[in-house]
Amino acid sequence: MANGQWYPPEWPDRIRALADGSLTPVAPKRAATVMLLRDAATGPAVHMLRRRASMAFAGGAYAYPGGGVDPRDEHQIRWAGPTRAWWAQRLGVDEAAAQAIVCAAVRETYEEAGVLLAGPTHDSVVGDTTGEDWEADRAALVARDVSFAEFLDRRGLVLRSDLLGAWTRWITPEFEPRRYDTWFFVAALPEGQRTRNASTEADRTVWIRPAEAAESYDKGELLMMPPTIATLRQLTPYDSAAQALAAAPERDLTPVLAQARLEDGEIVLSWPGHDEFTKHIPTGGAPA
């Protein structure tokens, strides 16, 4: 391939099966991912992790910290920032689901990057979270031994929803066996905290300028899924993390869902609004 677009070899067969009715789409699971930004002399950099090659889904691809919603993310917690009702309207879901999605964003960022968007008060954020006691709590969250609500309550922490900006929403194509309805958020790295590769699903993490990452993708050096490279391109105009966060409330959260159609003897795979990802797949061959 000319660029680094992640493309599973089984997609053409699954697309054909969906078209002929032999494949029934699975329901997508709600998920959240966070584009964590920090300012540098040359502009903001984003924190990315490379998924292990052994991963069943998008192995070897670069992505952001994130994952599926835990049903317990709906449990009552101390909350700062816009109300749950505001988030429900912004995300297009009910209030319980809105809290769960925001919680998942904050929880997954802590689980996979060691960064926690929470503090002891409504206008504070915790500092360094790399101590052994923090690591024990993080490991318990990853193992699902404790819920995020229990973790926050025991530490007397308030979730800072005001530190997140909802950026975009993508739904995994209907022909994929693992499907996610994913909300992408932006956030700035809190002062005093630092990222680390805390994820068992990643073998490398980097801080990289969005334009640099996009250039490496274009050269075929970095493998990414369409939503990842699309959001990187969307971040390139901003000169600071604060600028990106300020732009988030005006972002369109209409879900992006891939479409596949038969046309002139080939399958055309496209993502509405993102022409660069369009693939033409001969009915008996590989994508072009």
Side-chain angles (χ1 to χ4, degrees), residues 145-164:
D145 292 336
V146 298
S147 69
F148 194 57
E150 291 167 335
F151 160 73
L152 292 176
D153 183 61
R154 187 167 57 78
R155 285 198 172 260
L157 296 176
V158 183
L159 183 143
R160 291 287 305 276
S161 80
D162 54 318
L163 299 182
L164 287 168

Side-chain angles (χ1 to χ4, degrees), residues 182-201:
T182 305
W183 283 261
F184 287 69
F185 296 86
V186 288
L189 178 69
E191 185 176 352
Q193 294 193 41
R194 59 182 188 268
T195 57
R196 62 188 189 279
N197 184 9
S199 173
T200 58
E201 298 179 356

Side-chain angles (χ1 to χ4, degrees), residues 20-67:
D20 67 23
S22 60
L23 174 67
T24 301
V26 299
K29 179 180 179 180
R30 284 176 175 153
T33 190
V34 176
M35 300 177 284
L36 196 61
L37 303 171
R38 74 176 183 191
D39 291 328
T42 55
V46 62
H47 178 71
M48 303 190 75
L49 51 84
R50 184 175 65 187
R51 296 172 60 83
R52 293 186 184 277
S54 59
M55 295 295 295
F57 183 78
Y62 279 77
Y64 313 112

Side-chain angles (χ1 to χ4, degrees), residues 26-218:
V26 299
K29 179 180 179 180
R30 284 176 175 153
T33 190
V34 176
M35 300 177 284
L36 196 61
L37 303 171
R38 74 176 183 191
D39 291 328
T42 55
V46 62
H47 178 71
M48 303 190 75
L49 51 84
R50 184 175 65 187
R51 296 172 60 83
R52 293 186 184 277
S54 59
M55 295 295 295
F57 183 78
Y62 279 77
Y64 313 112
V69 169
D70 181 335
R72 298 177 298 174
D73 287 332
E74 293 187 7
H75 290 184
Q76 191 66 32
I77 60 170
R78 295 169 65 199
W79 182 275
T83 64
R84 292 167 177 81
W86 184 93
W87 277 108
Q89 184 173 15
R90 180 73 182 112
L91 301 180
V93 295
D94 61 38
E95 290 189 28
Q99 176 187 297
I101 293 162
V102 171
C103 271
V106 175
R107 175 179 52 74
E108 288 285 344
T109 303
Y110 182 53
E111 289 182 9
E112 297 198 341
V115 170
L116 183 59
L117 304 176
T121 65
H122 283 62
D123 58 358
S124 64
V125 186
V126 296
D128 185 9
T129 61
T130 58
E132 290 185 6
D133 58 332
W134 285 105
E135 179 56 26
D137 282 347
R138 192 197 65 78
L141 282 169
V142 172
R144 300 293 183 261
D145 292 336
V146 298
S147 69
F148 194 57
E150 291 167 335
F151 160 73
L152 292 176
D153 183 61
R154 187 167 57 78
R155 285 198 172 260
L157 296 176
V158 183
L159 183 143
R160 291 287 305 276
S161 80
D162 54 318
L163 299 182
L164 287 168
W167 192 260
T168 190
R169 179 183 177 186
W170 288 63
I171 301 177
T172 310
E174 291 183 331
F175 46 81
E176 260 291 309
R178 297 175 181 82
R179 300 190 66 210
Y180 298 94
D181 183 354
T182 305
W183 283 261
F184 287 69
F185 296 86
V186 288
L189 178 69
E191 185 176 352
Q193 294 193 41
R194 59 182 188 268
T195 57
R196 62 188 189 279
N197 184 9
S199 173
T200 58
E201 298 179 356
D203 59 11
R204 184 186 183 215
T205 62
V206 295
W207 281 101
I208 188 169
R209 290 188 305 110
E212 181 184 349
E215 183 180 353
S216 295
Y217 166 90
D218 289 337

